[in-house]
Amino acid sequence: MDYDGKTALIVVDVQNDFADPDGSLYVAGGEETVEPINQEIDRARKAGAYVAYTQDWHPESTTHFEKDGGIWPVHCVAGTWGAELHPHLEVTGEAVRKGTGGEDGYSGFSVRDPETGEKSSTGLAELLRERGIERLVVVGLALDYCVKATALDARSEGLAVTVLRDATRAVDLEPGDGERAVEELEAAGVAVS
Ligand code: VGL
Ligand code: ZN
């Protein structure tokens, strides 16, 4: 993907809990994405493209967590080491935080109230719209959750979307989840390269 003013790069959840082997929801190989992502950030910045980041940002108690009725170990609790962006990640733009009110949801674009099911925007769509963005490159963690959900929502927003396979890794709760995510993305018109 060549960057320009109408193409943005979104760096999804490159946080210690996912990208550091000591993180509580470590995604195998997560730390290996940091270098290719930094190169992508450099390419995007040199072309004057907009770069945004997302952060999973949970309260201590949320139905997202296994201990509170969900499926995940406690991770990315607001203000903790695990929620910080990886220390080697080049940070050059705004970070959109999702799940701050205990909502569920994986996409950088929207979260869902676990009680009412009501969806609300994180503000990312507005940030992109204000800048007249038409194309989005999505990288980060994890391929089968937040990267996939963000890319699919971006397609629903009418954007052309590319996911860079080398700059993401899958949780693979079930073996093959990453490959199935790629198929789902491609079926939705996302380019995976
Ligand atoms: C994520 C599981 C739980 C992600 C976030 O960033 O892909 N996965 N919360
Ligand atoms: Zn989470």
Side-chain angles (χ1 to χ4, degrees):
M1 175 72 80
D2 288 324
Y3 290 93
D4 57 29
K6 290 193 184 303
T7 306
L9 172 66
I10 173 121
V11 180
V12 175
D13 298 2
V14 183
Q15 294 166 270
N16 290 325
D17 270 341
F18 300 122
D20 188 296
D22 288 331
S24 63
L25 187 41
Y26 173 58
V27 178
E31 74 281 24
E32 295 164 9
T33 65
V34 175
E35 214 24 65
I37 290 173
N38 283 341
Q39 283 173 22
E40 208 57 26
I41 292 168
D42 283 343
R43 277 171 22 83
R45 290 196 62 204
K46 287 196 178 109
Y50 179 59
V51 180
Y53 301 77
T54 64
Q55 273 176 303
D56 213 31
W57 199 261
H58 299 299
E60 281 175 30
S61 187
T62 158
T63 53
H64 188 67
F65 294 157
E66 193 171 18
K67 69 175 180 71
D68 303 306
I71 64 169
W72 301 109
V74 172
H75 63 276
C76 298
V77 171
T80 63
W81 169 83
E84 287 170 18
L85 295 171
H86 190 281
H88 297 159
L89 182 70
E90 232 181 87
V91 182
T92 62
E94 294 163 85
V96 170
R97 290 174 175 172
K98 58 193 168 64
T100 54
E103 309 91 333
D104 217 347
Y106 299 105
S107 164
F109 286 91
S110 61
V111 292
R112 201 184 59 89
D113 186 303
E115 257 121 64
T116 65
E118 197 185 324
K119 261 184 133 186
S120 54
S121 165
T122 60
L124 178 60
E126 291 72 17
L127 281 177
L128 300 179
R129 219 172 288 137
E130 278 167 18
R131 290 170 172 77
I133 300 298
E134 294 174 358
R135 289 174 293 277
L136 199 61
V137 179
V138 186
V139 297
L141 302 169
L143 172 61
D144 40 354
Y145 288 92
C146 291
V147 167
K148 179 179 90 170
T150 301
L152 293 176
D153 266 359
R155 285 294 298 145
S156 304
E157 292 285 330
L159 302 168
V161 185
T162 300
V163 170
L164 302 179
R165 188 68 184 82
D166 188 46
T168 181
R169 291 290 186 281
V171 179
D172 279 336
L173 269 188
E174 298 290 338
D177 280 353
E179 287 323 302
R180 279 188 289 277
V182 168
E183 284 165 22
E184 217 180 305
L185 288 166
E186 287 178 336
V190 174
V192 181
S193 67

